[in-house]
Amino acid sequence: MQRAGTDSGVSARGTGPTPPVPAFTFFGDAAVVAPLLEGTGHDVVHSPRRLEVEDPLRATLRGAMASSMRAAVDALARGDADAVVSAGSTGALVALSRHLVGLLAGVRRPAIIKTLGAADGGRFRMLDLGANIGSSSEQLHQFALMGSAAALGERDEEEVGLSPSVGLLNIGSEVSKGPPEVRSAARLLEADERVQYAGFIEPHRLFDGATDIVVTDGFAGNIALKASEGAAQMARYLLAKELADTSPGVALAKAMLHKRLDRVRDAYNPQTYNGASLLGVAGVVVKSHGGADRTGFASAVRQAIGALATGSVARIAAGVQ
């Protein structure tokens, strides 16, 4: 990877047959960022202004408004960076990536995909998580193709050669349920031999790990993601509250079960799986949660490095043809 930023993200580049240590460039206020990087060998591009929620997106796209995010995405577009990781505005990152980096040939809309933990230590990927508000059946079909291509590069050895299974998020499992776009997308997926379509997935079964990929439009996907994050936070809060009991019985249980309790806490910690990739653009772009801590942001950076190492962009380009 090579260039990086603050609200814009991180980016990095490496060469050679073996994975090198990435070189990062941070885009932000050099007076703030540079002292934190002393002795690391990483660079800073002075971009003191960050995008605010009230900033007009049109001015940002036209280049009339400078920002660290635009500078970082522009570096990717010029080839001065191999990837960008950003904790800034999702809408701005999607728009700038489309405008400056461009979409892959044949891609109608980009989509945000994220890997989430499932039951029994499994995982699944869900898209779109907010790059689009509404999506047509054709776009949902294409999201399935992009998600399948992205998942192929992340498969374990025992999974190599198996097509990822794809489900459509819906309010019921019956074929008559759901909006017309979702029902029409189901028919397109059933007819496409490139996709291993597994049917509708109801929200309460998301974390069962019933399918490798769950496809939805950005509005429903973003709500589902944030609702699950809220539920995870509540679970962590309740667990911490119960463990705060100082009675001898609870203290003994904590001493005996501390490793198991740590695993439960980690399973509900969104920082451990922070980072969502923007699929469909002609470069590696990863969105970090704005509230990510150092562990969470590192997870997003590792995701970007993994996408580079597995040739994610080329795989997706081939998958949508």
mmCIF file of all heavy atoms in Angstrom, residues 7-40:
data_model
loop_
_atom_site.group_PDB
_atom_site.id
_atom_site.type_symbol
_atom_site.label_atom_id
_atom_site.label_comp_id
_atom_site.label_asym_id
_atom_site.label_seq_id
_atom_site.Cartn_x
_atom_site.Cartn_y
_atom_site.Cartn_z
ATOM 1 N N ASP A 7 -8.708 12.000 8.048
ATOM 2 C CA ASP A 7 -10.109 11.735 7.743
ATOM 3 C C ASP A 7 -10.211 11.059 6.390
ATOM 4 O O ASP A 7 -11.170 10.395 6.077
ATOM 5 C CB ASP A 7 -10.949 13.023 7.794
ATOM 6 C CG ASP A 7 -10.854 13.854 6.539
ATOM 7 O OD1 ASP A 7 -11.478 13.472 5.546
ATOM 8 O OD2 ASP A 7 -10.206 14.913 6.560
ATOM 9 N N SER A 8 -9.206 11.224 5.553
ATOM 10 C CA SER A 8 -9.228 10.573 4.254
ATOM 11 C C SER A 8 -8.807 9.127 4.368
ATOM 12 O O SER A 8 -9.360 8.264 3.756
ATOM 13 C CB SER A 8 -8.295 11.297 3.303
ATOM 14 O OG SER A 8 -7.026 11.441 3.886
ATOM 15 N N GLY A 9 -7.824 8.816 5.117
ATOM 16 C CA GLY A 9 -7.449 7.443 5.281
ATOM 17 C C GLY A 9 -5.966 7.192 5.221
ATOM 18 O O GLY A 9 -5.154 8.072 5.430
ATOM 19 N N VAL A 10 -5.619 5.953 4.916
ATOM 20 C CA VAL A 10 -4.240 5.527 4.831
ATOM 21 C C VAL A 10 -4.066 4.888 3.482
ATOM 22 O O VAL A 10 -4.967 4.291 2.949
ATOM 23 C CB VAL A 10 -3.931 4.477 5.922
ATOM 24 C CG1 VAL A 10 -2.570 3.874 5.713
ATOM 25 C CG2 VAL A 10 -4.033 5.093 7.284
ATOM 26 N N SER A 11 -2.873 5.002 2.907
ATOM 27 C CA SER A 11 -2.628 4.258 1.701
ATOM 28 C C SER A 11 -1.199 3.787 1.703
ATOM 29 O O SER A 11 -0.355 4.322 2.388
ATOM 30 C CB SER A 11 -2.922 5.103 0.479
ATOM 31 O OG SER A 11 -1.827 5.888 0.180
ATOM 32 N N ALA A 12 -0.901 2.765 0.906
ATOM 33 C CA ALA A 12 0.437 2.205 0.981
ATOM 34 C C ALA A 12 0.857 1.553 -0.312
ATOM 35 O O ALA A 12 0.046 1.207 -1.131
ATOM 36 C CB ALA A 12 0.486 1.195 2.110
ATOM 37 N N ARG A 13 2.162 1.355 -0.454
ATOM 38 C CA ARG A 13 2.698 0.718 -1.658
ATOM 39 C C ARG A 13 3.874 -0.165 -1.266
ATOM 40 O O ARG A 13 4.631 0.135 -0.374
ATOM 41 C CB ARG A 13 3.177 1.794 -2.655
ATOM 42 C CG ARG A 13 3.770 1.217 -3.925
ATOM 43 C CD ARG A 13 4.318 2.322 -4.820
ATOM 44 N NE ARG A 13 3.290 3.248 -5.201
ATOM 45 C CZ ARG A 13 2.441 3.034 -6.196
ATOM 46 N NH1 ARG A 13 2.497 1.930 -6.888
ATOM 47 N NH2 ARG A 13 1.514 3.946 -6.489
ATOM 48 N N GLY A 14 4.021 -1.274 -1.994
ATOM 49 C CA GLY A 14 5.165 -2.144 -1.759
ATOM 50 C C GLY A 14 5.573 -2.829 -3.047
ATOM 51 O O GLY A 14 4.791 -2.946 -3.971
ATOM 52 N N THR A 15 6.806 -3.280 -3.135
ATOM 53 C CA THR A 15 7.288 -3.960 -4.322
ATOM 54 C C THR A 15 8.051 -5.208 -3.912
ATOM 55 O O THR A 15 8.434 -5.374 -2.762
ATOM 56 C CB THR A 15 8.233 -3.054 -5.135
ATOM 57 O OG1 THR A 15 9.313 -2.652 -4.296
ATOM 58 C CG2 THR A 15 7.507 -1.811 -5.633
ATOM 59 N N GLY A 16 8.264 -6.104 -4.884
ATOM 60 C CA GLY A 16 9.038 -7.297 -4.612
ATOM 61 C C GLY A 16 8.163 -8.525 -4.561
ATOM 62 O O GLY A 16 6.946 -8.445 -4.386
ATOM 63 N N PRO A 17 8.764 -9.714 -4.687
ATOM 64 C CA PRO A 17 8.000 -10.958 -4.733
ATOM 65 C C PRO A 17 7.413 -11.351 -3.396
ATOM 66 O O PRO A 17 6.438 -12.080 -3.332
ATOM 67 C CB PRO A 17 9.052 -11.978 -5.198
ATOM 68 C CG PRO A 17 10.363 -11.388 -4.758
ATOM 69 C CD PRO A 17 10.203 -9.900 -4.889
ATOM 70 N N THR A 18 8.006 -10.918 -2.288
ATOM 71 C CA THR A 18 7.455 -11.218 -0.976
ATOM 72 C C THR A 18 6.789 -9.978 -0.425
ATOM 73 O O THR A 18 7.204 -8.857 -0.720
ATOM 74 C CB THR A 18 8.563 -11.669 0.001
ATOM 75 O OG1 THR A 18 9.558 -10.646 0.079
ATOM 76 C CG2 THR A 18 9.203 -12.954 -0.494
ATOM 77 N N PRO A 19 5.743 -10.170 0.387
ATOM 78 C CA PRO A 19 5.028 -9.009 0.901
ATOM 79 C C PRO A 19 5.945 -8.087 1.681
ATOM 80 O O PRO A 19 6.518 -8.477 2.700
ATOM 81 C CB PRO A 19 3.960 -9.634 1.814
ATOM 82 C CG PRO A 19 3.798 -11.033 1.314
ATOM 83 C CD PRO A 19 5.149 -11.431 0.818
ATOM 84 N N PRO A 20 6.153 -6.849 1.234
ATOM 85 C CA PRO A 20 7.038 -5.926 1.940
ATOM 86 C C PRO A 20 6.294 -5.235 3.076
ATOM 87 O O PRO A 20 5.072 -5.338 3.194
ATOM 88 C CB PRO A 20 7.392 -4.911 0.854
ATOM 89 C CG PRO A 20 6.157 -4.877 0.004
ATOM 90 C CD PRO A 20 5.583 -6.268 0.028
ATOM 91 N N VAL A 21 7.028 -4.556 3.904
ATOM 92 C CA VAL A 21 6.394 -3.721 4.918
ATOM 93 C C VAL A 21 5.832 -2.499 4.204
ATOM 94 O O VAL A 21 6.575 -1.781 3.528
ATOM 95 C CB VAL A 21 7.406 -3.286 5.993
ATOM 96 C CG1 VAL A 21 6.756 -2.346 6.989
ATOM 97 C CG2 VAL A 21 7.978 -4.512 6.691
ATOM 98 N N PRO A 22 4.525 -2.259 4.280
ATOM 99 C CA PRO A 22 3.940 -1.144 3.535
ATOM 100 C C PRO A 22 4.502 0.196 4.000
ATOM 101 O O PRO A 22 4.860 0.379 5.157
ATOM 102 C CB PRO A 22 2.450 -1.257 3.863
ATOM 103 C CG PRO A 22 2.250 -2.645 4.351
ATOM 104 C CD PRO A 22 3.518 -3.006 5.034
ATOM 105 N N ALA A 23 4.567 1.119 3.052
ATOM 106 C CA ALA A 23 4.928 2.497 3.372
ATOM 107 C C ALA A 23 3.656 3.313 3.359
ATOM 108 O O ALA A 23 2.894 3.267 2.402
ATOM 109 C CB ALA A 23 5.915 3.033 2.344
ATOM 110 N N PHE A 24 3.398 4.035 4.424
ATOM 111 C CA PHE A 24 2.162 4.782 4.552
ATOM 112 C C PHE A 24 2.398 6.279 4.396
ATOM 113 O O PHE A 24 3.426 6.801 4.836
ATOM 114 C CB PHE A 24 1.513 4.524 5.915
ATOM 115 C CG PHE A 24 1.132 3.097 6.138
ATOM 116 C CD1 PHE A 24 1.897 2.271 6.935
ATOM 117 C CD2 PHE A 24 -0.002 2.579 5.539
ATOM 118 C CE1 PHE A 24 1.555 0.948 7.136
ATOM 119 C CE2 PHE A 24 -0.358 1.259 5.737
ATOM 120 C CZ PHE A 24 0.419 0.440 6.532
ATOM 121 N N THR A 25 1.457 6.923 3.791
ATOM 122 C CA THR A 25 1.441 8.380 3.747
ATOM 123 C C THR A 25 0.130 8.856 4.360
ATOM 124 O O THR A 25 -0.938 8.399 3.954
ATOM 125 C CB THR A 25 1.563 8.909 2.309
ATOM 126 O OG1 THR A 25 2.807 8.486 1.759
ATOM 127 C CG2 THR A 25 1.508 10.430 2.293
ATOM 128 N N PHE A 26 0.227 9.746 5.317
ATOM 129 C CA PHE A 26 -0.939 10.264 6.018
ATOM 130 C C PHE A 26 -1.274 11.650 5.483
ATOM 131 O O PHE A 26 -0.393 12.495 5.337
ATOM 132 C CB PHE A 26 -0.669 10.335 7.524
ATOM 133 C CG PHE A 26 -0.504 8.983 8.155
ATOM 134 C CD1 PHE A 26 0.686 8.285 8.041
ATOM 135 C CD2 PHE A 26 -1.557 8.401 8.853
ATOM 136 C CE1 PHE A 26 0.845 7.028 8.607
ATOM 137 C CE2 PHE A 26 -1.421 7.149 9.428
ATOM 138 C CZ PHE A 26 -0.216 6.461 9.302
ATOM 139 N N PHE A 27 -2.542 11.853 5.181
ATOM 140 C CA PHE A 27 -3.012 13.148 4.701
ATOM 141 C C PHE A 27 -3.746 13.851 5.838
ATOM 142 O O PHE A 27 -4.757 13.358 6.332
ATOM 143 C CB PHE A 27 -3.960 12.970 3.506
ATOM 144 C CG PHE A 27 -3.273 12.431 2.280
ATOM 145 C CD1 PHE A 27 -2.969 11.080 2.193
ATOM 146 C CD2 PHE A 27 -2.930 13.258 1.238
ATOM 147 C CE1 PHE A 27 -2.331 10.559 1.088
ATOM 148 C CE2 PHE A 27 -2.293 12.763 0.111
ATOM 149 C CZ PHE A 27 -1.987 11.406 0.033
ATOM 150 N N GLY A 28 -3.235 14.999 6.249
ATOM 151 C CA GLY A 28 -3.854 15.722 7.343
ATOM 152 C C GLY A 28 -3.008 16.920 7.719
ATOM 153 O O GLY A 28 -2.107 17.331 6.986
ATOM 154 N N ASP A 29 -3.293 17.475 8.873
ATOM 155 C CA ASP A 29 -2.547 18.628 9.365
ATOM 156 C C ASP A 29 -1.167 18.168 9.828
ATOM 157 O O ASP A 29 -1.038 17.464 10.833
ATOM 158 C CB ASP A 29 -3.315 19.270 10.522
ATOM 159 C CG ASP A 29 -2.701 20.591 10.960
ATOM 160 O OD1 ASP A 29 -1.530 20.855 10.621
ATOM 161 O OD2 ASP A 29 -3.399 21.366 11.648
ATOM 162 N N ALA A 30 -0.144 18.543 9.077
ATOM 163 C CA ALA A 30 1.215 18.079 9.377
ATOM 164 C C ALA A 30 1.662 18.466 10.782
ATOM 165 O O ALA A 30 2.421 17.738 11.426
ATOM 166 C CB ALA A 30 2.197 18.622 8.347
ATOM 167 N N ALA A 31 1.201 19.623 11.266
ATOM 168 C CA ALA A 31 1.603 20.063 12.604
ATOM 169 C C ALA A 31 1.108 19.096 13.679
ATOM 170 O O ALA A 31 1.732 18.949 14.738
ATOM 171 C CB ALA A 31 1.064 21.467 12.877
ATOM 172 N N VAL A 32 -0.008 18.424 13.394
ATOM 173 C CA VAL A 32 -0.575 17.473 14.349
ATOM 174 C C VAL A 32 -0.051 16.069 14.102
ATOM 175 O O VAL A 32 0.315 15.336 15.032
ATOM 176 C CB VAL A 32 -2.120 17.483 14.261
ATOM 177 C CG1 VAL A 32 -2.717 16.414 15.175
ATOM 178 C CG2 VAL A 32 -2.665 18.854 14.609
ATOM 179 N N VAL A 33 0.000 15.675 12.822
ATOM 180 C CA VAL A 33 0.304 14.286 12.480
ATOM 181 C C VAL A 33 1.798 13.980 12.511
ATOM 182 O O VAL A 33 2.217 12.934 13.011
ATOM 183 C CB VAL A 33 -0.277 13.941 11.092
ATOM 184 C CG1 VAL A 33 0.046 12.498 10.715
ATOM 185 C CG2 VAL A 33 -1.783 14.175 11.068
ATOM 186 N N ALA A 34 2.628 14.876 11.982
ATOM 187 C CA ALA A 34 4.067 14.595 11.842
ATOM 188 C C ALA A 34 4.735 14.207 13.167
ATOM 189 O O ALA A 34 5.531 13.253 13.197
ATOM 190 C CB ALA A 34 4.772 15.786 11.204
ATOM 191 N N PRO A 35 4.477 14.913 14.280
ATOM 192 C CA PRO A 35 5.132 14.517 15.539
ATOM 193 C C PRO A 35 4.785 13.095 15.974
ATOM 194 O O PRO A 35 5.586 12.440 16.646
ATOM 195 C CB PRO A 35 4.598 15.552 16.543
ATOM 196 C CG PRO A 35 4.235 16.736 15.708
ATOM 197 C CD PRO A 35 3.698 16.163 14.439
ATOM 198 N N LEU A 36 3.611 12.627 15.582
ATOM 199 C CA LEU A 36 3.209 11.276 15.965
ATOM 200 C C LEU A 36 3.929 10.211 15.155
ATOM 201 O O LEU A 36 3.935 9.035 15.534
ATOM 202 C CB LEU A 36 1.694 11.116 15.777
ATOM 203 C CG LEU A 36 0.801 12.095 16.546
ATOM 204 C CD1 LEU A 36 -0.661 11.898 16.163
ATOM 205 C CD2 LEU A 36 0.987 11.907 18.048
ATOM 206 N N LEU A 37 4.518 10.613 14.033
ATOM 207 C CA LEU A 37 5.149 9.659 13.125
ATOM 208 C C LEU A 37 6.674 9.716 13.175
ATOM 209 O O LEU A 37 7.332 9.054 12.369
ATOM 210 C CB LEU A 37 4.691 9.925 11.691
ATOM 211 C CG LEU A 37 3.190 9.781 11.423
ATOM 212 C CD1 LEU A 37 2.867 10.178 9.992
ATOM 213 C CD2 LEU A 37 2.731 8.356 11.703
ATOM 214 N N GLU A 38 7.223 10.464 14.080
ATOM 215 C CA GLU A 38 8.676 10.590 14.167
ATOM 216 C C GLU A 38 9.331 9.227 14.350
ATOM 217 O O GLU A 38 8.940 8.434 15.204
ATOM 218 C CB GLU A 38 9.063 11.511 15.326
ATOM 219 C CG GLU A 38 8.807 12.985 15.048
ATOM 220 C CD GLU A 38 9.334 13.866 16.165
ATOM 221 O OE1 GLU A 38 10.007 13.331 17.065
ATOM 222 O OE2 GLU A 38 9.061 15.080 16.150
ATOM 223 N N GLY A 39 10.327 8.957 13.505
ATOM 224 C CA GLY A 39 11.056 7.702 13.603
ATOM 225 C C GLY A 39 10.412 6.528 12.907
ATOM 226 O O GLY A 39 10.984 5.435 12.875
ATOM 227 N N THR A 40 9.215 6.710 12.318
ATOM 228 C CA THR A 40 8.528 5.591 11.668
ATOM 229 C C THR A 40 8.892 5.453 10.201
ATOM 230 O O THR A 40 8.690 4.392 9.606
ATOM 231 C CB THR A 40 6.999 5.756 11.774
ATOM 232 O OG1 THR A 40 6.595 6.904 11.013
ATOM 233 C CG2 THR A 40 6.572 5.914 13.222
#
